Amino acid sequence: MGRSRRTLPEELLLLALDPTTGTTAQPQSLDLGLAGAQLVELALAGRIAPDGDRIAVVAPRPTGDPTLDCALELLRRRGAPVRAVHWIGGPRLGLRQTYLSHLERCGMVHAVDGQMCGVLPTTRYQATETAISREIKARLDSAIRTGVPPDPRTAALAALAHAVGLGKHLYPGNEGRSSRSRLRDLIRHDPMGGLVAHAVMDVQNGVAAQPRRAPAPGGGRQPAQAAGAAEPGRVPMQPHRGSVRAAVH
């Protein structure tokens, strides 16, 4: 996969960056969204495919993107398909910072040093190539405005943006209510994006959806909860660790 095309994690992060403050909207859920965006990007590259509510590696060859290839190798090492909700809910230490640093190297954002409470060094990131951010947003606007089914990449981006809660950031206030609703509806246009977006929301809600169970031997009913019901249980989220310098999100 060439590097001429921006990846979905990069586009999601650019959408989340506030051009005024240099912080990222929805930072905690954004971390989950970036992990989910990696899955969708790998699926678009033909490396993985959905298997029910699980993710299966179908072509383990590298994509040429080091961060995506790291995720692909971790999936390959699992040996068996992994549930999307478990993958997304796992620890992703430093993933957001990895993509911010990459965008800085590419010249799409620049770091602004500062201090929190006058003591703790911080780094904010502001977009330098604002035309790129506008183009990404324009794709969503077009899909929302026209109602024409978008391409899989844009549909997946819309699904992820909704899942991590960027709707109020992209379309604020009462005047943005209908756009937020249509953004949510775009989730149905890409199966992989929909699977990942729902997994992101499940992790945020502390819910791990149970796969459908086979009937018990002898035709009896399962003693556990009904097939397809949700099982409560929060997937633990790991705090980010880093140097004394902190990135303000």
Side-chain angles (χ1 to χ4, degrees):
M1 184 177 74
R3 294 298 296 127
S4 60
R5 181 190 291 275
R6 294 180 302 274
T7 65
L8 275 172
E10 293 163 7
E11 292 194 327
L12 184 66
L13 188 50
L14 286 170
L15 276 180
L17 272 179
D18 188 303
T20 303
T21 65
T23 61
T24 52
Q26 304 297 113
Q28 291 184 335
S29 56
L30 180 61
D31 291 342
L32 303 175
L34 291 174
Q38 286 187 311
L39 293 180
V40 179
E41 189 66 50
L42 287 170
L44 290 171
R47 302 313 196 265
I48 65 174
D51 181 6
D53 66 344
R54 297 174 184 267
I55 304 298
V57 175
V58 295
R61 67 184 184 279
T63 65
D65 180 297
T67 310
L68 289 175
D69 288 341
C70 180
L72 180 61
E73 175 62 13
L74 289 174
L75 285 166
R76 187 193 66 79
R77 290 179 184 176
R78 295 290 185 95
V82 59
R83 291 185 67 201
V85 71
H86 289 163
W87 173 262
I88 291 169
R92 293 290 177 271
L93 299 180
L95 185 59
R96 191 180 351 154
Q97 185 59 50
T98 295
Y99 277 109
L100 283 169
S101 298
H102 171 73
L103 290 175
E104 184 181 17
R105 288 192 301 271
C106 292
M108 285 190 273
V109 303
H110 71 277
V112 179
D113 292 334
Q115 288 185 328
M116 181 183 294
C117 302
V119 178
L120 181 65
T122 63
T123 303
R124 300 173 185 269
Y125 291 86
Q126 294 186 314
T128 54
E129 295 288 344
T130 54
I132 294 176
S133 298
R134 289 197 299 269
E135 181 271 329
I136 297 169
K137 172 71 161 34
R139 282 163 43 207
L140 295 184
D141 292 344
S142 177
I144 286 173
R145 183 179 63 256
T146 65
V148 176
D151 62 275
R153 181 173 294 274
T154 301
L157 181 63
L160 288 162
H162 167 71
V164 303
L166 289 184
K168 291 183 179 180
H169 168 71
L170 298 171
Y171 306 103
N174 287 332
E175 64 275 15
R177 183 178 300 172
S178 61
S179 293
R180 293 195 298 270
S181 177
R182 289 194 288 271
L183 180 72
R184 179 196 62 219
D185 292 343
L186 291 175
I187 199 171
R188 70 182 187 274
H189 289 295
D190 180 63
M192 185 66 181
L195 168 65
V196 169
H198 282 109
V200 168
M201 291 185 283
D202 282 344
V203 174
Q204 292 180 81
N205 294 330
V207 174
Q210 285 291 309
R212 186 173 298 276
R213 297 180 177 180
R221 297 180 61 85
Q222 290 282 356
Q225 61 193 52
E231 174 188 82
R234 183 170 298 280
V235 180
M237 294 185 62
Q238 300 294 329
H240 286 282
R241 300 188 185 121
S243 61
V244 176
R245 180 175 296 277
V248 176
H249 305 305

